[in-house]
Amino acid sequence: MKDCCELTKFSPEQKQLLQDVLESLESGEDEDTQVQKMSALMMSMILQSLKGYDRFDSPMIHFAAVLGIVEDENRLRRGDEYSYMLAGFMYYVRVLFVEYTLPAATRAEQTAEDIDRFLELRKKYLVVGSYSPCSFLIKMLGYGKTMSMQKINQPSITWTRSE
């Protein structure tokens, strides 16, 4: 696992945001400031364009790939072992995205422009074909589901003929 941590690629902006989070935690800043800095770091990863980059240049994709490793057994997880993890991760990403674009604290005052901005950012970063980490992760989730559906299930009931 040590190699996985050392191989993660962060953009210069992400490195700075990560440093800010670490300094905030070490200095004991108030919780609101820490949450704000962590949110900025996470959004920089979610709103990362991968046009012209290798998909593994994304810390999110790197993390998802590492989730797919069973270190003790020196193998990759099967689709049925991995899909639920990836689905949970994507749920978390979507919640962060919605809170960033349409904050719960201001829902009563949101306008049509706010919703249009949400839809624009969603189309740019949260759908398949968008050159974003989420696009690739959604494809991986679909692949895992397909593989799970094609898996030959073991019979749940067995019997023998009596003589």
Side-chain angles (χ1 to χ4, degrees):
M1 282 295 177
K2 181 181 175 189
D3 290 339
C4 295
C5 295
E6 292 175 359
L7 293 174
T8 304
K9 295 179 182 176
F10 294 99
S11 71
E13 175 196 8
Q14 291 166 346
K15 284 180 185 177
Q16 182 57 54
L17 290 169
L18 182 59
Q19 187 62 39
D20 292 347
V21 168
L22 292 173
E23 288 172 4
S24 178
L25 292 171
E26 289 172 354
S27 69
E29 286 185 311
D30 64 286
E31 187 176 320
D32 288 341
T33 302
Q34 291 176 355
V35 168
Q36 184 180 14
K37 289 181 178 185
M38 178 61 76
S39 295
L41 174 62
M42 292 305 301
M43 291 314 300
S44 76
M45 294 178 195
I46 294 169
L47 301 179
Q48 181 177 16
S49 175
L50 296 178
K51 279 186 182 174
Y53 293 97
D54 183 283
R55 63 180 149 232
F56 290 99
D57 287 347
S58 163
M60 280 179 49
I61 293 175
H62 183 90
F63 173 75
V66 172
L67 268 181
I69 299 170
V70 180
E71 186 177 15
D72 301 347
E73 299 175 21
N74 207 19
R75 67 174 180 87
L76 297 177
R77 295 184 194 280
R78 295 185 313 268
D80 59 330
E81 297 174 317
Y82 179 65
S83 293
Y84 76 93
M85 292 179 185
L86 194 54
F89 180 58
M90 284 304 301
Y91 178 81
Y92 170 72
V93 166
R94 288 176 176 136
V95 167
L96 287 175
F97 181 82
V98 169
E99 184 57 29
Y100 171 77
T101 55
L102 299 171
T106 63
R107 293 259 161 85
E109 300 92 39
Q110 289 171 358
T111 64
E113 290 90 25
D114 295 327
I115 294 169
D116 289 342
R117 178 177 173 266
F118 164 78
L119 293 172
E120 182 181 315
L121 287 172
R122 179 185 169 274
K123 185 177 181 180
K124 188 173 180 181
Y125 295 106
L126 238 55
V127 298
V128 173
S130 61
Y131 296 100
S132 68
C134 291
S135 173
F136 180 71
L137 295 176
I138 292 168
K139 287 180 194 176
M140 284 177 56
L141 194 53
Y143 177 74
K145 181 179 178 181
T146 299
M147 295 309 293
S148 292
M149 298 297 280
Q150 293 177 354
K151 179 182 172 191
I152 299 173
N153 294 321
Q154 297 294 324
S156 57
I157 301 174
T158 59
W159 64 89
T160 59
R161 294 181 186 253
S162 56
E163 293 182 35

